[in-house]
């Protein structure tokens, strides 16, 4: 690239960092400095500079079904995870899911006294990461082609394990290869949402320090796991269950039965993320699942409005109930409510609305949920009393409490 293009790239990089600081997605000074230093465009050489410096994911590869399997992550999500990781000079870091850009940022943050190992399962990604890191002066980063489920024991122990691909569980290798007071940052998916979670190792278990909603491509290899889906309305509406949940199928025509709507009186900003409320409903309502739908289903009025990612739902007593909203008096806020179809519609819609109100009174402005992850081999039979929700995964038990 000539000097003029390099200068232009630098100005775009600085503008992106400035916007991220102004929006609050870059808060840490050292992380900001790393963002100003690492040339993101070198890791996405085929896209225009303006795209390389937009706060957006750059999709790099799809599988044969068109599903995204590799990307260079969105800068604000990268920043969130780097801040959650609390990296210090001299740290040894393992990154699961590569591409080069984040590995270069990690390298900036741990400095010459630290060490970065980055692992990817895809040889094309490894090749791209190697090239990008070599051309930008980060050849010290160890780039490994492997299934990240098994970590990279050669350079362990690690002060930080940063997972940049959606995981359903904490692989035993990540914990085994973690230093005594280490931290794992991982986009963990449960009950239909992915949260980037910082987990500290405390007496053999992992305790959450922060959780933020995010999105990533899904893990492949030995740790891959998929939700089970019940299709409705010719697959334009879907109910998703985690593998530890019992799949409950409503009658196939349930959405064509009369709807009962109950409103909560709870007003929220249109943009307010409802992730804590969704988790509260997952904790407190029986037979929880996540309802997703094509836009056509809402347009055809098969469904009341729901957010793009989906919404909290329950299936019980042949009745499907889900969280919805309606525009309140002024257009900036919406009122939350429940819609139910089926023989026990009134009862289940009222139950959901009661939980919306309880959440609003006790938790909406609180610290939010905490997650403790117990490795399976340490599990006692007695469930944790304080636990609001226990999720069994192949290697761990996830315990959500409030
Ligand atoms: C979102 S991308 C990583 C982005 C990257 N950290 C960056 O610098 O922008 C996720 C990557 O995870 C990889 N991946 C998926 N399953 C994996 C596994 N089991 N082990 C290692 N890498 C995996 C994919 O090949 C993909 O390249």
């Amino acid at each position: 690239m000539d000097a003029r293009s390099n200068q232009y790239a630098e100005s775009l990089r600085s503008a992106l960092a400035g916007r991220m600081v102004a929006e609050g997605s870059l808060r840490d000074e050292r992380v900001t400095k790393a963002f100003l230093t690492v040339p993101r465009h070198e890791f996405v050489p085929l896209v225009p500079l303006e795209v390389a410096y937009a706060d957006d994911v750059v999709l790099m590869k799809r599988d044969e079904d068109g599903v995204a399997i590799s990307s260079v992550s969105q800068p604000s999500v990268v920043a969130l995870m780097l801040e959650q990781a609390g990296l210090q000079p001299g740290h040894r870091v393992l990154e699961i899911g590569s591409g080069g850009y984040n590995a270069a940022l990690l390298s900036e943050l741990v400095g010459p006294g630290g060490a970065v190992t980055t692992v990817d399962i895809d040889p094309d990604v490894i090749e791209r990461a190697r090239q990008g890191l070599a051309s930008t002066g980060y050849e010290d980063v160890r780039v490994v082609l492997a299934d990240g489920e098994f970590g990279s024991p050669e350079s362990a122990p690690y002060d930080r394990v940063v997972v940049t691909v959606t995981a359903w569980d904490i692989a035993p290798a990540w914990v085994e290869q973690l230093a005594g007071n280490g931290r794992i940052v991982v986009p963990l998916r449960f009950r239909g949402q992915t949260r980037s979670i910082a987990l500290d190792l405390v007496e053999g278990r992992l305790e959450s320090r922060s959780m933020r909603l995010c999105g990533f491509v899904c893990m492949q290899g030995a740790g891959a796991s998929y939700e089970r889906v019940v299709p409705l309305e010719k697959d334009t509406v879907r109910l998703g269950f985690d593998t530890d949940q019992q799949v409950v199928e409503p009658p196939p025509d349930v959405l064509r039965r009369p709807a009962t709507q109950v409103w909560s009186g709870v007003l929220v900003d249109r943009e307010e993320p409802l992730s804590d409320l969704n988790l509260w409903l997952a904790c407190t309502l029986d037979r929880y699942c996540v309802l997703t739908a094509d836009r056509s289903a809402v347009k055809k009025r098969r469904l009341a409005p729901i957010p793009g990612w989906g919404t909290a739902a329950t299936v019980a007593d042949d009745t499907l109930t889900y969280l919805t909203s309606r525009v309140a008096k002024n257009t900036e806020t919406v009122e939350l409510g429940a819609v139910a179809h089926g023989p026990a519609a009134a009862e289940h819609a009222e139950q959901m609305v009661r939980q919306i109100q309880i959440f609003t009174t006790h938790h909406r402005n609180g610290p939010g949920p905490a997650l403790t992850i117990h490795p399976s081999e340490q599990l006692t039979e007695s469930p944790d009393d304080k636990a609001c929700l226990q999720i069994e995964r192949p290697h761990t038990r996830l315990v959500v409490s409030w």
Side-chain angles (χ1 to χ4, degrees):
M1 221 163 60
D2 59 25
R4 189 185 271 199
S5 303
N6 265 326
Q7 221 173 13
Y8 182 47
E10 207 175 311
S11 71
L12 290 172
R13 186 156 65 250
S14 155
L16 171 63
R19 282 197 304 277
M20 288 168 65
V21 170
E23 286 160 9
S25 54
L26 255 182
R27 286 169 302 178
D28 182 297
E29 252 177 54
R30 293 180 59 247
V31 176
T32 305
K33 191 162 172 260
F35 264 83
L36 287 168
T37 307
V38 177
R40 188 174 191 248
H41 65 280
E42 299 278 1
F43 298 92
V44 285
L46 300 179
V47 304
L49 288 174
E50 292 79 4
V51 175
Y53 290 107
D55 184 17
D56 212 347
V57 63
V58 180
L59 187 60
M60 304 302 281
K61 196 171 178 178
R62 292 182 187 274
D63 67 12
E64 55 277 9
D65 299 322
V67 177
I69 54 168
S70 186
S71 59
V72 171
S73 307
Q74 183 177 359
S76 49
V77 175
V78 172
L80 161 71
M81 295 186 83
L82 292 174
E83 295 194 357
Q84 284 183 304
L87 291 144
Q88 295 303 321
H91 270 167
R92 302 175 63 78
V93 190
L94 171 64
E95 182 194 38
I96 308 290
S98 196
Y101 176 57
N102 192 44
L105 292 167
L106 290 166
S107 179
E108 282 291 330
L109 287 163
V110 302
V116 178
T117 297
T118 181
V119 176
D120 204 285
I121 200 167
D122 184 329
D124 296 339
V125 177
I126 287 297
E127 183 53 32
R128 172 163 51 82
R130 280 210 175 106
Q131 278 176 16
L133 288 163
S135 69
T136 48
Y138 296 98
E139 48 278 288
D140 284 356
V141 172
R142 201 172 140 251
V143 184
V144 181
L145 173 64
D147 185 343
E149 173 79 359
F150 306 104
S152 186
E154 296 79 4
S155 302
Y158 301 103
D159 301 293
R160 299 289 183 264
V161 174
V162 179
V163 183
T164 64
V165 57
T166 298
W168 281 268
D169 198 359
I170 302 298
W174 304 344
V175 183
E176 281 156 24
Q177 293 170 26
L178 197 62
N181 53 357
R183 174 175 289 186
I184 299 176
V185 180
V186 55
L188 195 63
R189 188 164 176 86
F190 52 96
R191 299 304 186 256
Q193 291 194 307
T194 307
R195 294 173 172 81
S196 175
I197 309 181
L199 294 159
D200 280 354
L201 189 58
V202 182
E203 292 167 12
R205 54 181 197 279
L206 294 162
E207 292 187 353
S208 69
R209 296 292 176 243
S210 60
M211 285 201 229
R212 290 276 298 279
L213 216 55
C214 68
F216 272 93
V217 300
C218 293
M219 188 144 173
Q220 307 164 47
S225 169
Y226 297 97
E227 287 137 33
R228 290 169 300 175
V229 173
V230 174
L232 294 173
E233 299 294 324
K234 299 190 178 134
D235 205 11
T236 58
V237 179
R238 295 161 295 273
L239 303 175
F241 296 84
D242 278 355
T243 45
D244 65 294
Q245 292 181 289
Q246 190 192 337
V247 176
V248 194
E249 298 201 21
D253 65 345
V254 71
L255 284 169
R256 287 159 196 264
R257 300 186 182 184
T260 298
Q261 298 197 339
V262 179
W263 297 100
S264 65
V266 173
L267 300 182
V268 298
D269 191 278
R270 270 167 185 269
E271 301 301 321
E272 182 169 327
L274 299 176
S275 57
D276 283 359
L277 171 62
N278 283 299
L279 195 49
W280 177 257
L281 296 178
C283 288
T284 54
L285 295 175
D286 282 341
R287 310 286 184 211
Y288 181 89
C289 60
V290 170
L291 184 152
T292 52
D294 296 349
R295 270 204 216 130
S296 62
V298 179
K299 263 195 184 155
K300 285 186 192 156
R301 297 182 180 272
R302 289 272 173 266
L303 286 175
I306 60 166
W309 75 273
T311 195
T314 61
V315 183
D317 306 323
D318 283 343
T319 300
L320 171 62
T321 309
Y322 61 94
L323 177 65
T324 186
S325 62
R326 65 177 174 186
V327 176
K329 273 184 220 125
N330 73 56
T331 52
E332 295 306 310
T333 59
V334 291
E335 181 182 5
L336 299 178
V339 181
H341 301 256
E347 180 195 334
H348 286 286
E350 269 157 29
Q351 261 175 30
M352 185 175 273
V353 161
R354 207 159 35 248
Q355 290 304 334
I356 296 170
Q357 292 162 338
I358 291 172
F359 169 82
T360 306
T361 307
H362 298 287
H363 300 293
R364 184 172 170 195
N365 300 313
L371 179 70
T372 305
I373 302 186
H374 303 265
S376 295
E377 70 267 19
Q378 289 181 13
L379 288 181
T380 51
E381 281 311 307
S382 59
D384 187 330
D385 284 345
K386 284 197 306 287
C388 191
L389 177 67
Q390 304 211 25
I391 301 175
E392 303 297 338
R393 291 283 144 103
H395 304 298
T396 61
R397 175 183 290 164
L398 316 184
V399 178
V400 179
S401 53
W402 293 78

